[in-house]
Amino acid sequence: MSIEVLIPDPEVLIMGLRDTGYDSNTALADVVDNSVDAGATCIKVSIQLDRNNNPTVMIADNGCGMNRSELIDGMKYGSSSTLTKDPKRLGKFGLGLKTASTAFCKRFSVVSRAATNDPIYMATWDLDNVARENNWNLEIVGEEDIPRVYKTVFDDITRDEGHGTLVAWEKVDRLTAKKSTLDRIASKFADYASLIYHRFLDEDDDRARTLEMSVNGVKLEPNDPFCLREMREDGSGTITTGRARDKECTVQMEDGTQKESTFHLQGYVLPTKESFSSKESLERANITNHNMGFYVYRENRMIACGDWLGLKKAEPHDSYFRAEFSFDHNLDVAFKIDVKKSRIELNPDLSNWLKEWMAPGVKMAEERYRRKVDDTVLEDSPKYHVESDKNIVDKEALVVESKIKPVGDVQADGTQKVEITNANTPNGPCVVSITIAPDETPGVSILTSDNVKGGALWEPTFKDDHQSVIINTNHPFYQKVYFPNHKNGIAVSGLDDLLWACACAEFGTVNDYQKKDFKDFRMKVSSILETLVEDLPEPEIG
């Protein structure tokens, strides 16, 4: 057997590693992770145009910094020091700084100093130079050759502690050189960092070391995804879905040994939107069905947010459920943490266990959501039917073929007996009991209610000498078909016309022999429609 040592082609490898799937948020966060690992208490991110209108990105921190040999090792692709450093580190693979930076730029520099009296060094990877020379040529310069703009930023961040690091991106070819675009990227990252580092940014959270971070000079405030400050004694705010749970598990290590470890779980149901204490709190919570599910933390840094981890699909009725899933570095192997630290993988046994654990919390969130939907639909529904109501009133005389006469008073249950005369009642009126809508119910021909007999979709009635129909806002057909299309006037009018026509036809043909048949028909059609819309998406409420 012979051994061939194959050295990767520098140009092909360094250029190929530019396309590892980073977006601007995850790339910047990977660099910030190094600052957190360095023990920084202050991190400043700048995303702006330089004096030549070229985009530049700088991440400066007052962490422990590096001497010359540490800096060179840190710039190595697959740094050997990652094998011996603290395994708790957020940047654990020795690739993040390089791959994250070159995902957006073709030249990046790192300026660093380990102590006040130590010299400052700058190391630079220039991808064009590597390609041109086809060699791993890392540029190293001392303090006298560091660009003035970098030196100014570095001196500012190290003024108090004397040590720190600056990462600067040049030749930024994958960000648009427009101020508005860079401002938008900076704003997006500020929101992202406020969330994924919220335990570090919150001075009241003792799970992580407190630090300050700013983006383009604006200090970041922690964004707690579970809205714990919205908890209230009356239960209207954030509520927990049970006691916190520490789940023990056995980890199969890469060397074949086994190790016991635990991860922490806590479920929450968020408040409905109108229950938040302020508009700002509501906006930061960002309640949509795309932000629900598990929020996963590794060593207190969020690595996944609004992720169901493959346990279920995202649906609107789950939009109030969020779960905290926290673990430490001991579970990196079990959860298959990748270089971007942006996802975890679950084995089948753990997936099944988590499905059972989250089920009660998801149910609580769904109940809160459905109560909100019911209230919203009932409150808003009258205004959806105004136009069709007017249209039917105008044309009613052209199609009505029966007469309705009340008999007696409205009963306590809201029903009243009426006499119906039509072509099928030659021997005298047919007497039936129908539901009478309260006088204050909006509308004339089209009325809405959340309490229709037997849960039917519609029920014939009359109001102010007009033949009318009561439509059930609690019926799934209304909530999944009517409500989502309420801005489509033609669709709503068409459905209203259809149901009013059914009610009008019932009045026009019913007799003593067919009374029960018409009731059974309404119930059967309503049941069929409920089945047909079962798999339609739940309505999204504003």
Side-chain angles (χ1 to χ4, degrees):
M1 179 182 70
S2 64
I3 300 295
E4 296 287 341
V5 177
L6 301 179
I7 300 175
D9 182 280
E11 178 183 7
V12 172
L13 181 59
I14 205 166
M15 292 298 185
L17 287 174
R18 300 194 73 193
D19 300 310
T20 48
Y22 282 100
D23 60 29
S24 58
N25 282 342
T26 54
L28 289 164
D30 236 8
V31 179
V32 170
D33 284 346
N34 291 328
S35 299
V36 177
D37 288 336
T41 58
C42 180
I43 302 171
K44 297 181 179 181
V45 180
S46 171
I47 307 170
Q48 297 177 334
L49 294 174
D50 64 14
R51 63 176 61 184
N52 296 317
N53 286 324
N54 295 316
T56 60
V57 176
M58 289 187 278
I59 301 97
D61 70 66
N62 66 348
C64 61
M66 294 172 282
N67 59 34
R68 189 178 191 277
S69 61
E70 291 170 335
L71 176 58
I72 292 173
D73 187 67
M75 294 293 277
K76 185 187 300 182
Y77 278 76
S79 170
S80 59
S81 65
T82 61
L83 301 176
T84 57
K85 285 186 177 180
D86 186 353
K88 295 181 180 180
R89 292 177 308 112
L90 304 185
K92 57 168 286 184
F93 292 97
L95 287 172
L97 168 65
K98 282 77 72 176
T99 55
S101 298
T102 58
F104 288 90
C105 72
K106 299 181 74 174
R107 177 183 172 92
F108 75 95
S109 301
V110 178
V111 181
S112 196
R113 179 172 62 195
T116 303
N117 296 323
D118 284 359
I120 304 171
Y121 291 100
M122 182 177 80
T124 301
W125 277 120
D126 189 314
L127 273 60
D128 290 330
N129 182 57
V130 171
R132 183 171 54 254
E133 301 294 333
N134 202 31
N135 208 345
W136 296 98
N137 295 333
L138 178 69
E139 303 171 18
I140 307 289
V141 301
E143 181 173 352
E144 64 279 1
D145 293 319
I146 296 174
R148 181 182 301 175
V149 64
Y150 295 171
K151 188 65 167 54
T152 300
V153 174
F154 184 79
D155 287 346
D156 176 68
I157 197 70
T158 60
R159 180 175 294 110
D160 295 330
E161 304 295 336
H163 49 71
T165 300
L166 165 67
V167 177
W169 295 357
E170 302 174 75
K171 295 184 181 179
V172 182
D173 60 333
R174 293 184 174 178
L175 293 179
T176 303
K178 291 183 179 180
K179 184 180 185 303
S180 59
T181 300
L182 296 182
D183 287 346
R184 186 166 62 251
I185 291 171
S187 178
K188 285 175 57 181
F189 179 68
D191 291 341
Y192 182 72
S194 296
L195 179 64
I196 68 170
Y197 297 109
H198 76 90
R199 291 183 178 179
F200 294 90
L201 298 172
D202 189 348
E203 61 183 13
D204 295 325
D205 194 326
D206 59 6
R207 290 171 293 186
R209 183 186 76 255
T210 301
L211 58 83
E212 287 189 3
M213 190 184 308
S214 65
V215 177
N216 285 354
V218 179
K219 181 182 177 181
L220 303 188
E221 298 296 331
N223 183 8
D224 166 30
F226 311 114
C227 308
L228 299 185
R229 287 182 171 83
E230 295 295 328
M231 284 187 166
R232 290 185 281 277
E233 292 184 0
D234 63 3
S236 63
T238 297
I239 57 176
T240 58
T241 62
R243 296 174 59 186
R245 177 70 184 269
D246 290 320
K247 170 68 173 173
E248 296 182 355
C249 60
T250 301
V251 182
Q252 186 76 27
M253 305 302 289
E254 292 176 334
D255 61 3
T257 61
Q258 292 186 336
K259 190 174 185 178
E260 298 298 321
S261 190
T262 61
F263 58 87
H264 178 81
L265 292 166
Q266 177 65 69
Y268 300 91
V269 177
L270 270 56
T272 57
K273 295 184 178 182
E274 69 277 2
S275 298
F276 274 81
S277 58
S278 68
K279 181 180 179 181
E280 292 73 22
S281 296
L282 172 59
E283 290 176 348
R284 289 176 71 81
N286 196 17
I287 297 179
T288 73
N289 61 305
H290 303 296
N291 293 320
M292 297 299 113
F294 288 89
Y295 284 67
V296 183
Y297 299 80
R298 177 191 178 274
E299 296 292 350
N300 292 311
R301 192 272 212 199
M302 188 185 297
I303 64 172
C305 55
D307 191 339
W308 286 107
L309 306 179
L311 303 178
K312 69 185 302 295
K313 65 179 182 179
E315 298 178 293
H317 60 251
D318 300 322
S319 61
Y320 295 132
F321 178 78
R322 294 182 181 179
E324 172 192 347
F325 186 126
S326 300
F327 66 94
D328 62 19
H329 65 282
N330 291 311
L331 289 173
D332 285 352
V333 174
F335 294 150
K336 301 180 180 179
I337 303 301
D338 67 354
V339 66
K340 291 183 292 181
K341 305 178 291 295
S342 59
R343 63 178 176 83
I344 65 172
E345 293 184 18
L346 306 176
N347 64 48
D349 290 340
L350 183 54
S351 292
N352 292 333
W353 186 89
L354 280 174
K355 286 179 182 178
E356 293 183 7
W357 173 84
M358 74 182 191
V362 171
K363 184 178 180 181
M364 291 172 63
E366 182 176 343
E367 289 173 350
R368 175 170 279 189
Y369 177 88
R370 293 197 184 282
R371 286 196 298 270
K372 171 61 177 173
V373 169
D374 291 346
D375 292 345
T376 300
V377 173
L378 180 62
E379 179 180 352
D380 293 350
S381 61
K383 62 187 179 185
Y384 305 152
H385 307 280
V386 172
E387 293 303 318
S388 53
D389 189 69
K390 292 179 180 177
N391 179 60
I392 292 171
V393 170
D394 290 343
K395 297 180 180 179
E396 179 183 8
L398 301 175
V399 296
V400 168
E401 298 178 344
S402 59
K403 293 182 179 180
I404 301 174
K405 178 183 177 181
V407 178
D409 298 323
V410 178
Q411 302 301 301
D413 62 357
T415 62
Q416 183 178 23
K417 289 184 177 181
V418 297
E419 293 181 345
I420 301 175
T421 303
N422 57 44
N424 289 341
T425 58
N427 298 321
C430 169
V431 179
V432 298
S433 179
I434 63 174
T435 299
I436 302 298
D439 291 339
E440 64 271 15
T441 303
V444 176
S445 299
I446 305 295
L447 314 175
T448 57
S449 172
D450 63 346
N451 185 24
V452 173
K453 284 183 182 178
L457 173 60
W458 82 96
E459 182 179 6
T461 187
F462 77 99
K463 181 181 181 182
D464 301 333
D465 297 325
H466 293 276
Q467 295 191 15
S468 312
V469 64
I470 300 175
I471 304 175
N472 185 2
T473 60
N474 268 348
H475 192 280
F477 184 87
Y478 192 94
Q479 296 190 350
K480 293 184 176 183
V481 178
Y482 257 104
F483 183 68
N485 292 286
H486 66 267
K487 294 182 180 179
N488 186 335
I490 294 176
V492 172
S493 292
L495 292 169
D496 286 348
D497 290 348
L498 176 62
L499 294 182
W500 183 84
C502 289
C504 183
E506 182 173 339
F507 283 137
T509 55
V510 69
N511 57 34
D512 288 331
Y513 303 102
Q514 297 174 317
K515 287 189 293 187
K516 187 176 183 303
D517 292 339
F518 276 108
K519 179 181 178 181
D520 291 345
F521 173 78
R522 279 186 268 118
M523 295 304 300
K524 188 64 176 177
V525 171
S526 299
S527 176
I528 291 172
L529 287 172
E530 182 172 355
T531 300
L532 292 176
V533 302
E534 184 175 3
D535 294 329
L536 292 181
E538 296 286 343
E540 292 197 39
I541 51 179

